[in-house]
Amino acid sequence: MLFYHCFILCFLATNQWFIPAVRGDIPPGCAAYGFVCDGTRLLVFGGMVEYGKYSNDLYELQASRWEWKRLKAKAPKNGPPPCPRLGHSFSLVGSKCYLFGGLANDSEDPKNNIPRYLNDLYILELRPGSGVVAWDIPITYGILPPPRESHTAVVYTERDSKKSRLVIYGGMSGCRLGDLWILDIGRTGGLSTALQNAVDTLTWNKPNLNGIAPLPRSLHSATTISNKMYVFGGWVPLVMDDVKVATHEKEWKCTNTLACLNLDSMAWEHIVMDTLEDNIPRARAGHCAVAINTRLYIWSGRDGYRKAWNNQVCCKDLWYLETGKYILESCFSC
């Protein structure tokens, strides 16, 4: 299994790809890592560097000069640093990164994989401009979400209260998951660090959702635009049987379905798109998604069925959804 470490940019104004000449501590190729964008820098954590071998390295890319740097954050005062993992979520809220879950390998021999699903939570405090300070294992309240990997995490900040929430959805833990959990973070601006820590109580809760929920899934994307969370694609069970889904699945497939959750009302909303079947992205999982203004962009991913890895096809097309009108268009293929 071969992983690449190249960094590719897309200029949407001209529909052109660009590969910058990077330098510094270039990280090895990896998959299923977590990354966040903080101004002109990217932070990358963890991932699978080869089959059965996972990483807990932290890298920073300064896009202003295309320079990589390996960072060493201080270990938490109340426990060990994050273990090597893949399929975790890594989310930026203010000046902190929230690391949740993932999959670890408890075997010392990478060829003898002993998977362990995680539901731990770490906070990485960032240093303004460049660098990091330290990891922290925060005290949380409420019931923890069950362990999982290949889930999604989005950050939603309420307009009036300015309170932020980390929304965990779906993932994999022996079977596809369709549950949704919220970590109440608190206000993310306008307070000193000491006062912020005093008023913040990190509380987990599992809200009751209304509407018709999408199928359980993993390796999907979830993206916030305004007060909506758009969920696209991923692996879903081939047969929806309560008994099979609740234990271990034997069959699954990729999907190209799109779901929308209103984060204010906590209701799944029905989406009607004015487009033909041929004008929507093909089914895929492990793709990228990003919001730019009111547009949702989808790129790459892979298609497949069951465990037929040799039959999977990597996608190389770029699509966008105009969420104000629900119109899908293909930007280009390369």
Side-chain angles (χ1 to χ4, degrees):
M1 189 176 294
L2 181 63
F3 301 113
Y4 296 94
H5 63 248
C6 59
F7 185 79
I8 305 175
L9 293 175
C10 178
F11 292 103
L12 296 176
T14 58
N15 285 352
Q16 290 180 314
W17 291 102
F18 168 63
I19 303 179
V22 296
R23 55 194 173 93
D25 305 325
I26 300 176
C30 64
Y33 51 86
F35 82 95
V36 299
C37 179
D38 178 30
T40 60
R41 65 172 169 170
L42 290 174
L43 293 170
V44 179
F45 175 79
M48 178 167 61
V49 293
E50 60 183 67
Y51 180 78
K53 183 179 180 181
Y54 307 156
S55 168
N56 62 349
D57 291 335
L58 178 66
Y59 288 89
E60 174 188 86
L61 174 65
Q62 280 288 353
S64 59
R65 54 182 181 270
W66 300 121
E67 183 176 8
W68 283 102
K69 182 181 180 181
R70 185 177 178 182
L71 304 178
K72 294 184 178 180
K74 294 180 181 179
K77 296 179 180 179
N78 54 344
C83 66
R85 65 188 67 199
L86 62 76
H88 47 281
S89 58
F90 199 46
S91 310
L92 178 66
V93 184
S95 61
K96 298 178 181 180
C97 289
Y98 289 74
L99 169 67
F100 175 77
L103 180 69
N105 183 4
D106 280 348
S107 172
E108 296 182 359
D109 180 9
K111 296 181 180 179
N112 182 26
N113 196 10
I114 303 177
R116 176 167 58 95
Y117 294 97
L118 305 170
N119 65 343
D120 50 356
L121 177 70
Y122 284 83
I123 295 179
L124 177 66
E125 185 178 351
L126 306 183
R127 183 173 287 117
S130 179
V132 294
V133 180
W135 290 105
D136 179 42
I137 303 175
I139 297 174
T140 62
Y141 302 88
I143 300 175
L144 279 172
R148 67 194 62 211
E149 57 104 358
S150 298
H151 55 279
T152 53
V154 302
V155 178
Y156 175 57
T157 302
E158 296 177 354
R159 180 180 299 179
D160 296 332
S161 66
K162 304 300 180 183
K163 292 183 178 179
S164 293
R165 297 180 290 176
L166 184 68
V167 182
I168 304 292
Y169 172 69
M172 175 72 177
S173 183
C175 60
R176 316 293 147 176
L177 303 173
D179 53 348
L180 184 140
W181 295 78
I182 289 179
L183 177 67
D184 288 317
I185 295 175
R187 296 181 63 182
T188 57
L191 297 176
S192 66
T193 301
L195 184 57
Q196 184 75 50
N197 294 335
V199 300
D200 282 355
T201 55
L202 299 174
T203 304
W204 287 105
N205 67 85
K206 185 181 180 182
N208 294 321
L209 304 179
N210 299 313
I212 301 176
L215 288 174
R217 63 193 62 210
S218 63
L219 279 176
H220 53 285
S221 63
T223 315
T224 52
I225 299 178
S226 185
N227 66 334
K228 307 289 180 68
M229 180 180 79
Y230 293 89
V231 176
F232 177 79
W235 294 100
V236 297
L238 185 63
V239 178
M240 274 301 295
D241 183 286
D242 290 340
V243 176
K244 290 182 179 179
V245 171
T247 54
H248 285 74
E249 305 156 2
K250 293 184 178 179
E251 297 181 331
W252 56 87
K253 65 177 181 178
C254 278
T255 182
N256 62 349
T257 55
L258 177 70
C260 176
L261 178 68
N262 186 310
L263 294 171
D264 289 329
S265 64
M266 282 296 157
W268 292 103
E269 298 181 347
H270 180 61
I271 296 178
V272 178
M273 290 185 292
D274 185 18
T275 186
L276 301 175
E277 185 69 22
D278 294 338
N279 295 331
I280 62 176
R282 65 185 297 178
R284 65 191 68 201
H287 51 280
C288 299
V290 65
I292 301 178
N293 297 322
T294 59
R295 287 184 178 181
L296 171 64
Y297 284 86
I298 302 291
W299 181 72
S300 192
R302 64 179 187 267
D303 188 9
Y305 175 70
R306 297 183 184 177
K307 295 184 178 180
W309 297 102
N310 294 333
N311 295 330
Q312 290 192 18
V313 177
C314 288
C315 306
K316 54 182 181 180
D317 49 352
L318 176 67
W319 292 78
Y320 74 81
L321 171 69
E322 183 55 70
T323 60
K325 302 178 181 178
Y326 291 125
I327 297 176
L328 271 167
E329 293 189 21
S330 176
C331 291
F332 59 95
S333 299
C334 61

